[in-house]
Amino acid sequence: MSTPVIEVEHLTVSYRRRRHTLTAVRDLSFRVDRGEILAIVGESGSGETTTAHALLGLLPSNATIDGGRIVVTVVEYKGEGVRIGVQAPASVRIDRQEVFERIQEVR
């Protein structure tokens, strides 16, 4: 068995909201091997974007990873690389410069 490019084990992510905590992702596990494609889909509010943000280290300040483990193995891509598509791009509040800086850190 090869080393996975992405491995997520028992990931749990929550958001602090005023006086309570909302768990957005609970006990999620998956792996992506080299050459595989993974699509994370679900109903609105089921944690797809939160999962992607956790993988990229782009969770907002009110979010915490409460459990689990994320391992991303850095590999050299000669093709398209990693892409993230969102349902409603206008609703995503990530500064493009911040994303660019994160990508540069990996290089």
Side-chain angles (χ1 to χ4, degrees), residues 6-46:
I6 299 171
E7 187 171 19
V8 175
E9 295 178 343
H10 307 289
L11 178 65
T12 298
V13 181
S14 64
Y15 292 92
R16 291 179 309 283
R17 301 276 178 144
R18 295 184 186 164
R19 296 184 189 133
H20 68 281
T21 300
L22 170 69
T23 301
V25 177
R26 180 176 289 129
D27 198 31
L28 176 67
S29 296
F30 63 87
R31 68 181 274 150
V32 180
D33 291 317
R34 188 179 184 117
E36 289 185 324
I37 296 171
L38 173 70
I40 301 173
V41 297
E43 294 183 34
S44 180
S46 62

Side-chain angles (χ1 to χ4, degrees), residues 53 58 89 92-103:
H53 287 173
L58 295 174
V92 178
R93 294 181 179 92
I94 299 175
D95 180 46
R96 286 189 176 125
Q97 183 63 33
E98 181 181 351
V99 172
F100 178 76
E101 290 169 0
R102 296 280 183 163
I103 292 169

Side-chain angles (χ1 to χ4, degrees), residues 34-80:
R34 188 179 184 117
E36 289 185 324
I37 296 171
L38 173 70
I40 301 173
V41 297
E43 294 183 34
S44 180
S46 62
E48 313 93 332
T49 300
T50 297
T51 300
H53 287 173
L55 283 169
L56 295 170
L58 295 174
L59 287 169
S61 61
N62 68 324
T64 58
I65 296 177
D66 299 318
R69 164 179 114 108
I70 299 172
V71 178
V72 178
T73 304
V74 178
V75 295
E76 181 180 343
Y77 286 101
K78 295 184 179 179
E80 294 293 320

